[in-house]
Amino acid sequence: MDLTRALTEATLGIDAVSAALDAASAAQRRDAVLALDRTAQRRLYRLAQDAPPLTLEDFVPADRAARESVRHFGRNTLPLPGPLRFFEKRFSRPDAGPPRLFGYNETPVVGLIGPGYFVAVTTAGEPAWAPRGAVVVDYFRVPDSAVPDGWPRVVPNSHGLQRLVYHRTRDFMRRLSRHVTIGAAYKVERPLDHYFVLVREG
């Protein structure tokens, strides 16, 4: 299966998309996923409704140590100049506490708008959220204990220019393959019709 065709062919189902992504090399997978435009990302998010649900281990595998940083390379559909649509989400597992992940956004303008810290949890037990995706990246919350060395200082998303980007936002995540996820952004409970794809490193 040609990877570009699998990601853009409207007649293919989620199983074919997942199989093509899993069969690709890491470089092929990353290049193809980060080339996806708004139309393709919207379609894939809807298609991924039928994929197996995500777990937190899809973002930070179980064999990673606490406070080990895991990079996910991303592209969003925000109305920004091309280079600013590319970013990384970095996730880690905290030292202790209930199941959750900490994370922030590494962008070309992180020094200007801030890191956009979040806490990722499953949507189990949230009937309004679960249909949107099995994991939510929640910017209403920020890490409440230590984060990996080298990460930026933790600040609330109501602080500074972050307020314009991350404040009162949640991203709902669905699975595309073992390494690839796709998210849809909501402001409070309102869908924004903005999407992003992530490719996990390693």
Side-chain angles (χ1 to χ4, degrees):
M1 175 68 68
D2 175 79
L3 185 56
T4 300
R5 180 186 167 216
L7 296 178
T8 57
E9 176 58 61
T11 61
L12 293 178
I14 188 61
D15 290 344
V17 169
S18 297
L21 285 167
D22 285 340
S25 70
Q28 290 171 332
R29 183 165 50 239
R30 180 174 168 181
D31 288 348
V33 167
L34 297 187
L36 293 170
D37 62 13
R38 180 185 184 84
T39 299
Q41 291 195 33
R42 182 191 290 117
R43 183 185 70 83
L44 287 169
Y45 176 76
R46 293 171 180 170
L47 196 67
Q49 182 176 359
D50 296 325
L54 287 166
T55 69
L56 297 179
E57 286 73 27
D58 289 300
F59 297 93
V60 177
D63 61 355
R64 302 298 181 93
R67 282 195 284 154
E68 180 179 351
S69 185
V70 179
R71 301 165 73 190
H72 293 243
F73 302 98
R75 176 178 177 171
N76 65 47
T77 64
L78 294 171
L80 298 169
L84 296 184
R85 294 181 184 174
F86 296 93
F87 64 99
E88 293 180 22
K89 270 183 165 48
R90 297 183 182 176
F91 293 82
S92 75
R93 185 180 300 107
D95 290 315
R100 69 206 192 284
L101 303 175
F102 296 160
Y104 82 98
N105 291 269
E106 182 66 37
T107 72
V109 290
V110 65
L112 176 65
I113 66 170
Y117 268 100
F118 57 81
V119 176
V121 295
T122 68
T123 58
E126 296 284 354
W129 291 0
R132 302 173 190 170
V135 170
V136 58
V137 169
D138 192 345
Y139 293 98
F140 283 66
R141 303 170 59 185
V142 297
D144 56 4
S145 62
V147 299
D149 294 341
W151 279 19
R153 181 173 64 91
V154 177
V155 292
N157 289 312
S158 56
H159 177 77
L161 292 179
Q162 290 188 128
R163 186 177 186 88
L164 303 177
V165 181
Y166 305 111
H167 186 53
R168 296 171 63 81
T169 300
R170 295 184 178 99
D171 298 329
F172 292 91
M173 307 301 301
R174 293 174 175 174
R175 179 193 304 276
L176 288 179
S177 74
R178 286 188 293 114
H179 298 85
V180 183
T181 57
I182 189 161
Y186 281 67
K187 182 66 77 172
V188 189
E189 291 298 302
R190 179 173 64 89
L192 298 179
D193 196 31
H194 288 309
Y195 307 88
F196 61 92
V197 284
L198 297 177
V199 184
R200 193 184 77 229
E201 181 180 57

